[in-house]
Each structure stands twice: as C-alpha cells, then as structure tokens.
PDB file of all heavy atoms in Angstrom:
ATOM      1  N   THR A  17      -0.246 -22.188   6.407  1.00  0.00           N
ATOM      2  CA  THR A  17      -0.049 -21.965   5.007  1.00  0.00           C
ATOM      3  C   THR A  17      -1.398 -22.358   4.201  1.00  0.00           C
ATOM      4  O   THR A  17      -1.788 -21.626   3.335  1.00  0.00           O
ATOM      5  CB  THR A  17       1.110 -22.789   4.460  1.00  0.00           C
ATOM      6  OG1 THR A  17       2.316 -22.378   5.135  1.00  0.00           O
ATOM      7  CG2 THR A  17       1.268 -22.514   2.944  1.00  0.00           C
ATOM      8  N   LEU A  18      -1.986 -23.517   4.621  1.00  0.00           N
ATOM      9  CA  LEU A  18      -3.181 -23.878   3.899  1.00  0.00           C
ATOM     10  C   LEU A  18      -4.211 -22.814   4.153  1.00  0.00           C
ATOM     11  O   LEU A  18      -4.940 -22.452   3.170  1.00  0.00           O
ATOM     12  CB  LEU A  18      -3.614 -25.307   4.599  1.00  0.00           C
ATOM     13  CG  LEU A  18      -5.060 -25.706   4.141  1.00  0.00           C
ATOM     14  CD1 LEU A  18      -5.122 -26.056   2.786  1.00  0.00           C
ATOM     15  CD2 LEU A  18      -5.504 -26.866   5.096  1.00  0.00           C
ATOM     16  N   GLN A  19      -4.422 -22.355   5.331  1.00  0.00           N
ATOM     17  CA  GLN A  19      -5.391 -21.298   5.631  1.00  0.00           C
ATOM     18  C   GLN A  19      -5.124 -19.989   4.822  1.00  0.00           C
ATOM     19  O   GLN A  19      -5.996 -19.434   4.356  1.00  0.00           O
ATOM     20  CB  GLN A  19      -5.535 -21.099   7.157  1.00  0.00           C
ATOM     21  CG  GLN A  19      -6.082 -22.335   7.913  1.00  0.00           C
ATOM     22  CD  GLN A  19      -5.846 -22.227   9.367  1.00  0.00           C
ATOM     23  OE1 GLN A  19      -5.077 -21.346   9.895  1.00  0.00           O
ATOM     24  NE2 GLN A  19      -6.500 -23.099  10.099  1.00  0.00           N
ATOM     25  N   ASN A  20      -3.865 -19.700   4.764  1.00  0.00           N
ATOM     26  CA  ASN A  20      -3.554 -18.485   4.063  1.00  0.00           C
ATOM     27  C   ASN A  20      -3.762 -18.591   2.546  1.00  0.00           C
ATOM     28  O   ASN A  20      -4.169 -17.606   1.936  1.00  0.00           O
ATOM     29  CB  ASN A  20      -2.034 -18.123   4.320  1.00  0.00           C
ATOM     30  CG  ASN A  20      -1.736 -17.743   5.763  1.00  0.00           C
ATOM     31  OD1 ASN A  20      -2.656 -17.289   6.409  1.00  0.00           O
ATOM     32  ND2 ASN A  20      -0.499 -17.779   6.186  1.00  0.00           N
ATOM     33  N   CYS A  21      -3.592 -19.791   2.026  1.00  0.00           N
ATOM     34  CA  CYS A  21      -3.727 -19.992   0.553  1.00  0.00           C
ATOM     35  C   CYS A  21      -5.130 -19.694   0.104  1.00  0.00           C
ATOM     36  O   CYS A  21      -5.371 -19.325  -1.032  1.00  0.00           O
ATOM     37  CB  CYS A  21      -3.271 -21.416   0.176  1.00  0.00           C
ATOM     38  SG  CYS A  21      -1.461 -21.609   0.054  1.00  0.00           S
ATOM     39  N   GLN A  22      -6.138 -19.911   0.990  1.00  0.00           N
ATOM     40  CA  GLN A  22      -7.451 -19.735   0.586  1.00  0.00           C
ATOM     41  C   GLN A  22      -7.853 -18.216   0.353  1.00  0.00           C
ATOM     42  O   GLN A  22      -8.860 -17.860  -0.210  1.00  0.00           O
ATOM     43  CB  GLN A  22      -8.443 -20.320   1.593  1.00  0.00           C
ATOM     44  CG  GLN A  22      -8.570 -19.620   2.862  1.00  0.00           C
ATOM     45  CD  GLN A  22      -9.573 -20.301   3.793  1.00  0.00           C
ATOM     46  OE1 GLN A  22     -10.528 -20.881   3.416  1.00  0.00           O
ATOM     47  NE2 GLN A  22      -9.317 -20.150   5.106  1.00  0.00           N
ATOM     48  N   HIS A  23      -6.939 -17.380   0.726  1.00  0.00           N
ATOM     49  CA  HIS A  23      -7.110 -15.857   0.567  1.00  0.00           C
ATOM     50  C   HIS A  23      -6.369 -15.355  -0.699  1.00  0.00           C
ATOM     51  O   HIS A  23      -6.478 -14.251  -1.059  1.00  0.00           O
ATOM     52  CB  HIS A  23      -6.693 -15.161   1.731  1.00  0.00           C
ATOM     53  CG  HIS A  23      -7.380 -15.521   3.006  1.00  0.00           C
ATOM     54  ND1 HIS A  23      -8.753 -15.390   3.153  1.00  0.00           N
ATOM     55  CD2 HIS A  23      -6.867 -16.069   4.161  1.00  0.00           C
ATOM     56  CE1 HIS A  23      -9.064 -15.869   4.390  1.00  0.00           C
ATOM     57  NE2 HIS A  23      -7.942 -16.265   5.005  1.00  0.00           N
ATOM     58  N   LEU A  24      -5.674 -16.299  -1.405  1.00  0.00           N
ATOM     59  CA  LEU A  24      -4.866 -15.845  -2.524  1.00  0.00           C
ATOM     60  C   LEU A  24      -5.733 -15.746  -3.789  1.00  0.00           C
ATOM     61  O   LEU A  24      -6.649 -16.547  -4.024  1.00  0.00           O
ATOM     62  CB  LEU A  24      -3.746 -16.855  -2.828  1.00  0.00           C
ATOM     63  CG  LEU A  24      -2.760 -17.085  -1.655  1.00  0.00           C
ATOM     64  CD1 LEU A  24      -1.703 -18.054  -2.179  1.00  0.00           C
ATOM     65  CD2 LEU A  24      -2.089 -15.775  -1.262  1.00  0.00           C
ATOM     66  N   GLU A  25      -5.435 -14.732  -4.545  1.00  0.00           N
ATOM     67  CA  GLU A  25      -5.942 -14.660  -5.943  1.00  0.00           C
ATOM     68  C   GLU A  25      -4.874 -15.060  -6.876  1.00  0.00           C
ATOM     69  O   GLU A  25      -3.789 -14.452  -6.911  1.00  0.00           O
ATOM     70  CB  GLU A  25      -6.336 -13.177  -6.268  1.00  0.00           C
ATOM     71  CG  GLU A  25      -6.932 -12.987  -7.654  1.00  0.00           C
ATOM     72  CD  GLU A  25      -7.149 -11.494  -7.932  1.00  0.00           C
ATOM     73  OE1 GLU A  25      -7.104 -10.663  -6.989  1.00  0.00           O
ATOM     74  OE2 GLU A  25      -7.286 -11.199  -9.093  1.00  0.00           O
ATOM     75  N   VAL A  26      -5.133 -16.103  -7.644  1.00  0.00           N
ATOM     76  CA  VAL A  26      -4.093 -16.657  -8.477  1.00  0.00           C
ATOM     77  C   VAL A  26      -4.346 -16.307  -9.963  1.00  0.00           C
ATOM     78  O   VAL A  26      -5.434 -16.521 -10.452  1.00  0.00           O
ATOM     79  CB  VAL A  26      -3.996 -18.212  -8.324  1.00  0.00           C
ATOM     80  CG1 VAL A  26      -2.918 -18.789  -9.135  1.00  0.00           C
ATOM     81  CG2 VAL A  26      -3.699 -18.476  -6.825  1.00  0.00           C
ATOM     82  N   LEU A  27      -3.316 -15.724 -10.578  1.00  0.00           N
ATOM     83  CA  LEU A  27      -3.420 -15.364 -12.000  1.00  0.00           C
ATOM     84  C   LEU A  27      -2.646 -16.300 -12.906  1.00  0.00           C
ATOM     85  O   LEU A  27      -1.496 -16.601 -12.573  1.00  0.00           O
ATOM     86  CB  LEU A  27      -2.859 -13.888 -12.107  1.00  0.00           C
ATOM     87  CG  LEU A  27      -2.937 -13.246 -13.493  1.00  0.00           C
ATOM     88  CD1 LEU A  27      -4.371 -12.985 -13.857  1.00  0.00           C
ATOM     89  CD2 LEU A  27      -2.113 -11.916 -13.447  1.00  0.00           C
ATOM     90  N   GLU A  28      -3.217 -16.808 -13.942  1.00  0.00           N
ATOM     91  CA  GLU A  28      -2.597 -17.682 -14.826  1.00  0.00           C
ATOM     92  C   GLU A  28      -1.693 -16.921 -15.883  1.00  0.00           C
ATOM     93  O   GLU A  28      -2.193 -16.187 -16.659  1.00  0.00           O
ATOM     94  CB  GLU A  28      -3.556 -18.551 -15.580  1.00  0.00           C
ATOM     95  CG  GLU A  28      -4.559 -19.234 -14.681  1.00  0.00           C
ATOM     96  CD  GLU A  28      -3.917 -20.143 -13.653  1.00  0.00           C
ATOM     97  OE1 GLU A  28      -2.793 -20.670 -13.972  1.00  0.00           O
ATOM     98  OE2 GLU A  28      -4.417 -20.326 -12.610  1.00  0.00           O
ATOM     99  N   THR A  29      -0.397 -17.096 -15.752  1.00  0.00           N
ATOM    100  CA  THR A  29       0.541 -16.484 -16.731  1.00  0.00           C
ATOM    101  C   THR A  29       1.603 -17.435 -17.113  1.00  0.00           C
ATOM    102  O   THR A  29       2.788 -17.246 -16.811  1.00  0.00           O
ATOM    103  CB  THR A  29       1.198 -15.187 -16.005  1.00  0.00           C
ATOM    104  OG1 THR A  29       1.792 -15.509 -14.782  1.00  0.00           O
ATOM    105  CG2 THR A  29       0.149 -14.122 -15.734  1.00  0.00           C
ATOM    106  N   GLY A  30       1.211 -18.530 -17.711  1.00  0.00           N
ATOM    107  CA  GLY A  30       2.090 -19.569 -18.079  1.00  0.00           C
ATOM    108  C   GLY A  30       2.527 -20.393 -16.844  1.00  0.00           C
ATOM    109  O   GLY A  30       3.456 -21.176 -16.874  1.00  0.00           O
ATOM    110  N   GLY A  31       1.792 -20.271 -15.824  1.00  0.00           N
ATOM    111  CA  GLY A  31       2.088 -20.904 -14.544  1.00  0.00           C
ATOM    112  C   GLY A  31       1.331 -20.197 -13.444  1.00  0.00           C
ATOM    113  O   GLY A  31       0.832 -19.107 -13.636  1.00  0.00           O
ATOM    114  N   ALA A  32       1.289 -20.753 -12.260  1.00  0.00           N
ATOM    115  CA  ALA A  32       0.526 -20.131 -11.185  1.00  0.00           C
ATOM    116  C   ALA A  32       1.385 -18.940 -10.609  1.00  0.00           C
ATOM    117  O   ALA A  32       2.398 -19.135 -10.092  1.00  0.00           O
ATOM    118  CB  ALA A  32       0.242 -21.089 -10.102  1.00  0.00           C
ATOM    119  N   ALA A  33       0.826 -17.752 -10.708  1.00  0.00           N
ATOM    120  CA  ALA A  33       1.461 -16.597 -10.127  1.00  0.00           C
ATOM    121  C   ALA A  33       0.470 -15.835  -9.222  1.00  0.00           C
ATOM    122  O   ALA A  33      -0.622 -15.498  -9.726  1.00  0.00           O
ATOM    123  CB  ALA A  33       1.947 -15.652 -11.222  1.00  0.00           C
ATOM    124  N   VAL A  34       0.820 -15.650  -7.992  1.00  0.00           N
ATOM    125  CA  VAL A  34      -0.071 -15.049  -7.077  1.00  0.00           C
ATOM    126  C   VAL A  34      -0.087 -13.534  -7.300  1.00  0.00           C
ATOM    127  O   VAL A  34       0.906 -12.883  -7.261  1.00  0.00           O
ATOM    128  CB  VAL A  34       0.314 -15.369  -5.624  1.00  0.00           C
ATOM    129  CG1 VAL A  34      -0.635 -14.703  -4.611  1.00  0.00           C
ATOM    130  CG2 VAL A  34       0.349 -16.845  -5.407  1.00  0.00           C
ATOM    131  N   SER A  35      -1.250 -13.008  -7.559  1.00  0.00           N
ATOM    132  CA  SER A  35      -1.360 -11.596  -7.952  1.00  0.00           C
ATOM    133  C   SER A  35      -1.788 -10.652  -6.748  1.00  0.00           C
ATOM    134  O   SER A  35      -1.618  -9.549  -6.913  1.00  0.00           O
ATOM    135  CB  SER A  35      -2.343 -11.459  -9.136  1.00  0.00           C
ATOM    136  OG  SER A  35      -3.597 -11.855  -8.736  1.00  0.00           O
ATOM    137  N   SER A  36      -2.395 -11.239  -5.798  1.00  0.00           N
ATOM    138  CA  SER A  36      -2.971 -10.403  -4.745  1.00  0.00           C
ATOM    139  C   SER A  36      -2.742 -11.048  -3.435  1.00  0.00           C
ATOM    140  O   SER A  36      -3.692 -11.650  -2.864  1.00  0.00           O
ATOM    141  CB  SER A  36      -4.445 -10.107  -5.011  1.00  0.00           C
ATOM    142  OG  SER A  36      -5.002  -9.283  -3.992  1.00  0.00           O
ATOM    143  N   ARG A  37      -1.502 -11.010  -2.890  1.00  0.00           N
ATOM    144  CA  ARG A  37      -1.244 -11.659  -1.620  1.00  0.00           C
ATOM    145  C   ARG A  37      -1.516 -10.684  -0.525  1.00  0.00           C
ATOM    146  O   ARG A  37      -1.252  -9.512  -0.568  1.00  0.00           O
ATOM    147  CB  ARG A  37       0.257 -12.044  -1.630  1.00  0.00           C
ATOM    148  CG  ARG A  37       0.660 -12.872  -2.810  1.00  0.00           C
ATOM    149  CD  ARG A  37       2.002 -13.474  -2.681  1.00  0.00           C
ATOM    150  NE  ARG A  37       2.501 -13.969  -3.936  1.00  0.00           N
ATOM    151  CZ  ARG A  37       3.482 -14.801  -4.014  1.00  0.00           C
ATOM    152  NH1 ARG A  37       4.108 -15.220  -3.000  1.00  0.00           N
ATOM    153  NH2 ARG A  37       3.856 -15.222  -5.211  1.00  0.00           N
ATOM    154  N   PRO A  38      -2.105 -11.196   0.555  1.00  0.00           N
ATOM    155  CA  PRO A  38      -2.585 -10.318   1.636  1.00  0.00           C
ATOM    156  C   PRO A  38      -1.534  -9.740   2.637  1.00  0.00           C
ATOM    157  O   PRO A  38      -1.830  -8.860   3.371  1.00  0.00           O
ATOM    158  CB  PRO A  38      -3.619 -11.136   2.363  1.00  0.00           C
ATOM    159  CG  PRO A  38      -3.087 -12.547   2.161  1.00  0.00           C
ATOM    160  CD  PRO A  38      -2.496 -12.557   0.793  1.00  0.00           C
ATOM    161  N   TYR A  39      -0.368 -10.387   2.633  1.00  0.00           N
ATOM    162  CA  TYR A  39       0.598 -10.129   3.737  1.00  0.00           C
ATOM    163  C   TYR A  39       1.942  -9.561   3.220  1.00  0.00           C
ATOM    164  O   TYR A  39       2.338  -9.610   2.045  1.00  0.00           O
ATOM    165  CB  TYR A  39       0.805 -11.371   4.506  1.00  0.00           C
ATOM    166  CG  TYR A  39      -0.401 -11.890   5.161  1.00  0.00           C
ATOM    167  CD1 TYR A  39      -0.816 -13.247   4.994  1.00  0.00           C
ATOM    168  CD2 TYR A  39      -1.356 -11.038   5.861  1.00  0.00           C
ATOM    169  CE1 TYR A  39      -1.991 -13.715   5.586  1.00  0.00           C
ATOM    170  CE2 TYR A  39      -2.517 -11.546   6.361  1.00  0.00           C
ATOM    171  CZ  TYR A  39      -2.875 -12.865   6.276  1.00  0.00           C
ATOM    172  OH  TYR A  39      -4.018 -13.402   6.765  1.00  0.00           O
ATOM    173  N   LEU A  40       2.714  -9.139   4.234  1.00  0.00           N
ATOM    174  CA  LEU A  40       4.087  -8.554   4.043  1.00  0.00           C
ATOM    175  C   LEU A  40       4.892  -9.120   5.181  1.00  0.00           C
ATOM    176  O   LEU A  40       4.461  -9.137   6.341  1.00  0.00           O
ATOM    177  CB  LEU A  40       3.934  -7.036   4.040  1.00  0.00           C
ATOM    178  CG  LEU A  40       5.184  -6.168   4.015  1.00  0.00           C
ATOM    179  CD1 LEU A  40       4.836  -4.792   3.390  1.00  0.00           C
ATOM    180  CD2 LEU A  40       5.819  -5.947   5.299  1.00  0.00           C
ATOM    181  N   ALA A  41       6.185  -9.457   4.882  1.00  0.00           N
ATOM    182  CA  ALA A  41       7.030 -10.028   5.927  1.00  0.00           C
ATOM    183  C   ALA A  41       8.144  -9.016   6.292  1.00  0.00           C
ATOM    184  O   ALA A  41       8.561  -8.154   5.373  1.00  0.00           O
ATOM    185  CB  ALA A  41       7.661 -11.246   5.515  1.00  0.00           C
ATOM    186  N   VAL A  42       8.567  -8.959   7.545  1.00  0.00           N
ATOM    187  CA  VAL A  42       9.630  -7.987   8.022  1.00  0.00           C
ATOM    188  C   VAL A  42      10.679  -8.737   8.813  1.00  0.00           C
ATOM    189  O   VAL A  42      10.324  -9.548   9.661  1.00  0.00           O
ATOM    190  CB  VAL A  42       8.902  -6.914   8.870  1.00  0.00           C
ATOM    191  CG1 VAL A  42       9.994  -5.906   9.338  1.00  0.00           C
ATOM    192  CG2 VAL A  42       7.801  -6.139   8.091  1.00  0.00           C
ATOM    193  N   ALA A  43      11.953  -8.494   8.581  1.00  0.00           N
ATOM    194  CA  ALA A  43      13.076  -8.940   9.407  1.00  0.00           C
ATOM    195  C   ALA A  43      13.408  -7.809  10.388  1.00  0.00           C
ATOM    196  O   ALA A  43      13.794  -6.691   9.957  1.00  0.00           O
ATOM    197  CB  ALA A  43      14.190  -9.293   8.564  1.00  0.00           C
ATOM    198  N   SER A  44      13.257  -8.141  11.704  1.00  0.00           N
ATOM    199  CA  SER A  44      13.505  -7.115  12.734  1.00  0.00           C
ATOM    200  C   SER A  44      14.145  -7.709  13.906  1.00  0.00           C
ATOM    201  O   SER A  44      13.842  -8.822  14.369  1.00  0.00           O
ATOM    202  CB  SER A  44      12.162  -6.468  13.111  1.00  0.00           C
ATOM    203  OG  SER A  44      12.372  -5.591  14.178  1.00  0.00           O
ATOM    204  N   LEU A  45      15.045  -7.021  14.543  1.00  0.00           N
ATOM    205  CA  LEU A  45      15.762  -7.481  15.758  1.00  0.00           C
ATOM    206  C   LEU A  45      14.897  -7.435  16.995  1.00  0.00           C
ATOM    207  O   LEU A  45      14.863  -8.324  17.798  1.00  0.00           O
ATOM    208  CB  LEU A  45      17.054  -6.676  15.970  1.00  0.00           C
ATOM    209  CG  LEU A  45      18.175  -6.898  14.995  1.00  0.00           C
ATOM    210  CD1 LEU A  45      19.258  -5.857  15.165  1.00  0.00           C
ATOM    211  CD2 LEU A  45      18.814  -8.295  15.190  1.00  0.00           C
ATOM    212  N   GLU A  46      14.054  -6.360  17.040  1.00  0.00           N
ATOM    213  CA  GLU A  46      13.380  -6.083  18.261  1.00  0.00           C
ATOM    214  C   GLU A  46      11.848  -5.933  18.021  1.00  0.00           C
ATOM    215  O   GLU A  46      11.081  -5.816  19.084  1.00  0.00           O
ATOM    216  CB  GLU A  46      13.854  -4.933  19.097  1.00  0.00           C
ATOM    217  CG  GLU A  46      13.566  -3.553  18.483  1.00  0.00           C
ATOM    218  CD  GLU A  46      14.077  -3.323  17.100  1.00  0.00           C
ATOM    219  OE1 GLU A  46      15.229  -3.262  16.883  1.00  0.00           O
ATOM    220  OE2 GLU A  46      13.147  -3.199  16.222  1.00  0.00           O
ATOM    221  N   GLY A  47      11.357  -5.896  16.819  1.00  0.00           N
ATOM    222  CA  GLY A  47      10.009  -5.739  16.501  1.00  0.00           C
ATOM    223  C   GLY A  47       9.492  -4.364  16.296  1.00  0.00           C
ATOM    224  O   GLY A  47       8.350  -4.122  16.041  1.00  0.00           O
ATOM    225  N   ALA A  48      10.372  -3.403  16.294  1.00  0.00           N
ATOM    226  CA  ALA A  48      10.036  -1.990  16.034  1.00  0.00           C
ATOM    227  C   ALA A  48      10.590  -1.477  14.790  1.00  0.00           C
ATOM    228  O   ALA A  48       9.985  -0.590  14.143  1.00  0.00           O
ATOM    229  CB  ALA A  48      10.407  -1.133  17.175  1.00  0.00           C
ATOM    230  N   LEU A  49      11.719  -1.920  14.350  1.00  0.00           N
ATOM    231  CA  LEU A  49      12.478  -1.357  13.212  1.00  0.00           C
ATOM    232  C   LEU A  49      12.751  -2.440  12.171  1.00  0.00           C
ATOM    233  O   LEU A  49      12.949  -3.617  12.580  1.00  0.00           O
ATOM    234  CB  LEU A  49      13.832  -0.744  13.652  1.00  0.00           C
ATOM    235  CG  LEU A  49      13.766   0.408  14.703  1.00  0.00           C
ATOM    236  CD1 LEU A  49      15.163   0.812  15.063  1.00  0.00           C
ATOM    237  CD2 LEU A  49      13.021   1.646  14.158  1.00  0.00           C
ATOM    238  N   VAL A  50      12.844  -2.061  10.969  1.00  0.00           N
ATOM    239  CA  VAL A  50      13.395  -2.935   9.937  1.00  0.00           C
ATOM    240  C   VAL A  50      14.892  -2.820  10.026  1.00  0.00           C
ATOM    241  O   VAL A  50      15.517  -1.798   9.585  1.00  0.00           O
ATOM    242  CB  VAL A  50      12.909  -2.507   8.517  1.00  0.00           C
ATOM    243  CG1 VAL A  50      13.483  -3.530   7.419  1.00  0.00           C
ATOM    244  CG2 VAL A  50      11.402  -2.464   8.452  1.00  0.00           C
ATOM    245  N   ASN A  51      15.566  -3.759  10.686  1.00  0.00           N
ATOM    246  CA  ASN A  51      16.999  -3.615  11.012  1.00  0.00           C
ATOM    247  C   ASN A  51      17.787  -4.936  11.004  1.00  0.00           C
ATOM    248  O   ASN A  51      18.817  -5.029  11.708  1.00  0.00           O
ATOM    249  CB  ASN A  51      17.182  -2.823  12.266  1.00  0.00           C
ATOM    250  CG  ASN A  51      16.508  -3.526  13.442  1.00  0.00           C
ATOM    251  OD1 ASN A  51      15.954  -4.635  13.325  1.00  0.00           O
ATOM    252  ND2 ASN A  51      16.511  -2.883  14.594  1.00  0.00           N
ATOM    253  N   GLN A  52      17.244  -6.003  10.363  1.00  0.00           N
ATOM    254  CA  GLN A  52      17.910  -7.297  10.376  1.00  0.00           C
ATOM    255  C   GLN A  52      18.211  -7.777   8.995  1.00  0.00           C
ATOM    256  O   GLN A  52      17.343  -7.704   8.097  1.00  0.00           O
ATOM    257  CB  GLN A  52      17.095  -8.248  11.185  1.00  0.00           C
ATOM    258  CG  GLN A  52      17.825  -9.534  11.502  1.00  0.00           C
ATOM    259  CD  GLN A  52      17.043 -10.399  12.449  1.00  0.00           C
ATOM    260  OE1 GLN A  52      15.840 -10.418  12.445  1.00  0.00           O
ATOM    261  NE2 GLN A  52      17.728 -11.195  13.274  1.00  0.00           N
TER     262      GLN A  52
END
C-alpha cells in the first residue's frame, strides 16, 4: 500500500480525494471472468 500510494495523484476537495488511481480490482472465481 505504501508503494502504491506514491503513484497517487491527490486532489484537494474539502478532504483528500484520489483523482487518478492506477489500478482496478476484480472479483473472480477462476481468474478469467468477472463472476464472483
């Protein structure tokens, strides 16, 4: 998480809001389909 945070672009909008996150998460049963 520490290493990932150094790639974040943080935008000030009344609090810290990450505006340009590099990744996307997927829930998958077998690693090929979005199905979980």
Side-chain angles (χ1 to χ4, degrees):
T17 300
L18 170 68
Q19 293 165 348
N20 291 338
C21 281
Q22 71 180 330
H23 302 300
L24 300 181
E25 178 187 346
V26 181
L27 183 66
E28 306 304 329
T29 55
V34 179
S35 64
S36 180
R37 309 190 192 198
Y39 302 130
L40 175 156
V42 179
S44 175
L45 289 166
E46 75 302 294
L49 303 173
V50 183
N51 59 5
Q52 191 174 31

